[in-house]
Amino acid sequence: MKQARTLRRLSQTDVARRLKLSFQQIQKYEIGSNRIAASRLFELSNILEVPTSYFFEGLDEDANTQKDSAMDIVSAVASIKDEQMKARIVTFIQDVAGTTVARRA
């Protein structure tokens, strides 16, 4: 959930408002201290513009290493304070990957 949210440049507060929850509840979902109901996963998939199956990817295979390195990249980019530099890096990553990430204003 955090990965999809971060890639779409949404804050925990943004997601919480759309779900009519507190941002603290989103934090609990992301760290795994609270379970997410199936109906809530459906709502999240719409907000984050991912298929519901996104939340179940890798459960039957060992994908932890790949997800960990992806989260390392997301965390590193998110920590960059210079917004222009951050945008340039995101564009570079998109070019290398051959993809485009949806941008939110």
Side-chain angles (χ1 to χ4, degrees):
M1 181 176 135
K2 182 177 182 178
Q3 182 178 16
R5 176 184 61 76
T6 305
L7 288 172
R8 277 145 191 85
R9 298 183 178 174
L10 294 171
S11 68
Q12 290 176 336
T13 302
D14 295 332
V15 175
R17 283 185 184 139
R18 293 182 189 185
L19 291 173
K20 297 182 175 127
L21 297 172
S22 67
F23 81 91
Q24 291 93 339
Q25 183 61 47
I26 302 304
Q27 285 178 325
K28 290 177 182 180
Y29 286 160
E30 289 184 354
I31 63 173
S33 64
N34 285 10
R35 291 185 182 192
I36 306 173
S39 59
R40 187 76 72 203
L41 282 177
F42 180 76
E43 291 176 277
L44 280 167
S45 70
N46 289 325
I47 291 167
L48 300 175
E49 299 173 355
V50 296
T52 308
S53 61
Y54 171 86
F55 299 107
F56 301 97
E57 290 175 2
L59 287 180
D60 58 351
E61 56 190 61
D62 186 22
N64 289 336
T65 303
Q66 183 179 4
K67 288 183 181 178
D68 287 347
S69 63
M71 283 309 298
D72 290 343
I73 293 168
V74 169
S75 295
V77 171
S79 68
I80 297 170
K81 304 295 183 221
D82 183 333
E83 290 299 320
Q84 287 182 325
M85 179 60 70
K86 188 184 296 188
R88 290 174 60 199
I89 290 170
V90 169
T91 300
F92 170 76
I93 292 170
Q94 291 171 338
D95 289 347
V96 170
T99 62
T100 301
V101 177
R103 292 200 170 117
R104 299 273 185 237

